[in-house]
Structures are given as structure tokens and as C-alpha cells.
Amino acid sequence: ASILGMTKANVQYHLQKMVHQKLVEAASRKHSEGRGRPVKLYRLRREALENDYPALCDLILESLLAGGPPQQTSEQKMAVLGEQMAKRVGAMGSMIQRLNQLVHFLNRHGYQANWEAHQHGPVIFFRNCPYAALQQKFPCLCVMDGEMLRRTLLLWMRPDRTGDNPARKQPFLCRFSVESGTPEKLTG
């Protein structure tokens, strides 16, 4: 409350209003230091997170209008969309510059992404999937994301949906890491 320059009562009022509007939900309780009630922690509800349906619809329409072999699998079609997304990222420069440009693009499109340097190469974390509402019906959407990363970074990337890990400061929905046993860099 003090950081926001508001009273505790005012913060509680606004939090309750956001709970009623189904924008946030109580996540857990944290024991306060010393005496007193436990501190209630809140988080955004999945439904309140951003989505990127307009961009996805734009890509799908472009792809459908351009045609393509009818015998392509769903995964192959999503890989084509991922390649088109990589062109929109337009990342250039060193690996670090491309990673930063990629994360900037992803965050503009609702992924809440970040990257970390690891021993075997960069790891990219998504804390939100802008297509989460469609994911169960169309699991091949992950192929599109993976292909976008692969084409932008010129690295084979492997998805890992292990999700919330209590040891991590920030939980994630999906992680992409450099795939072992494949060429380190792609040529195109």
C-alpha cells in the first residue's frame, strides 16, 4: 500500500473489486513476519491475461489465402505459420541481440517471455500462452511457437511444459531449450 501511495483499506477495496470482476484471484497466504494475520497474495486469473488472436487470425488467413499442399499435416501447417512469424520478428545481429529482439516481440504479443543463458544454450520462458484458450483443441500451436524460435535464433529448440517449479522465482507455462543431439546452428 505504501509503494502505491494508498491506504491498506483502499488497496483492499480495489483488490476485492478486481476479484468480483474476475480479474484476479487469491493465490495463497504467506505468514507475516511477527504477529498478525497471514498476508494474502493475489495473481491475475488466466482469463485476464492477454491473448494474441488478431495476429494469429491474420497469419492463418494469409496462409489459407496463399494455399498450400492439402496433404500437409496440422504440424506442418503450423510450422509454416511459425516461419511467417519469425519473419515478422525480423531479429538481426548477434545471438544476444536476436534473443532480446525476440523477447520484445513475444512480450508485445502477450507471451510474458524472458530468456536465460544456460550451459547448453539459451532457454526461453513463456509465463503466458496467448493462445491458451485454443491450446486444448489445437495442441499443434506449440509447433508454431517452436518454429518461430528456431527460425529467429537459428537453433533447434525443444519445448518443455513442466510449468510451475517452486524453486523458480517466476513460474512459467512453457520453456524452450536448445535441443541436444542436433546441430547447434541451422543454416536457414
Side-chain angles (χ1 to χ4, degrees):
S2 61
I3 292 172
L4 297 172
M6 301 168 77
T7 65
K8 289 182 182 180
N10 199 13
V11 169
Q12 288 173 338
Y13 167 78
H14 288 289
L15 278 171
Q16 288 308 313
K17 198 171 179 178
M18 288 189 288
V19 167
H20 182 70
Q21 294 172 342
K22 298 185 180 187
L23 296 172
V24 297
E25 61 189 356
S28 62
R29 292 181 183 262
K30 180 175 135 185
H31 293 289
S32 58
E33 295 177 19
R35 292 185 259 173
R37 292 183 181 176
V39 176
K40 208 173 196 179
L41 302 175
Y42 292 87
R43 67 175 169 220
L44 282 173
R45 291 176 51 104
R46 173 147 310 282
E47 297 83 11
L49 294 171
E50 295 180 55
N51 65 57
D52 198 23
Y53 299 146
L56 178 63
C57 290
D58 185 47
L59 285 171
I60 291 171
L61 286 172
E62 283 179 16
S63 182
L64 289 174
L65 293 174
Q71 68 274 16
Q72 279 185 325
T73 66
S74 297
E75 286 77 15
Q76 290 169 325
K77 290 176 182 177
M78 294 312 288
V80 169
L81 293 177
E83 184 178 353
Q84 291 173 1
M85 284 181 73
K87 290 176 184 173
R88 291 182 178 190
V89 174
M92 298 169 51
S94 70
M95 176 60 71
I96 291 175
Q97 290 170 323
R98 288 196 316 270
L99 281 160
N100 289 335
Q101 292 165 13
L102 174 64
V103 165
H104 180 72
F105 175 87
L106 291 169
N107 289 336
R108 281 193 341 258
H109 293 276
Y111 285 84
Q112 297 181 8
N114 69 298
W115 72 274
E116 295 176 2
H118 285 238
Q119 182 179 3
H120 299 291
V123 177
I124 299 170
F125 296 93
F126 296 168
R127 288 184 308 284
N128 180 50
C129 174
Y131 315 114
L134 303 171
Q135 190 67 37
Q136 193 167 8
K137 187 174 180 181
F138 302 104
C140 58
L141 283 165
C142 287
V143 173
M144 178 183 68
D145 289 336
E147 186 66 16
M148 172 185 50
L149 299 178
R150 182 176 82 87
R151 296 287 181 160
T152 302
L153 301 176
L154 304 177
L155 293 170
W156 290 96
M157 302 297 285
R158 166 180 51 83
D160 173 19
R161 284 178 217 84
T162 57
D164 295 338
N165 178 346
R168 287 192 51 80
K169 291 179 184 164
Q170 296 181 329
F172 63 91
L173 182 65
C174 190
R175 169 180 63 200
F176 285 86
S177 16
V178 174
E179 194 168 312
S180 59
T182 60
E184 282 300 307
K185 293 203 174 202
L186 301 172
T187 55

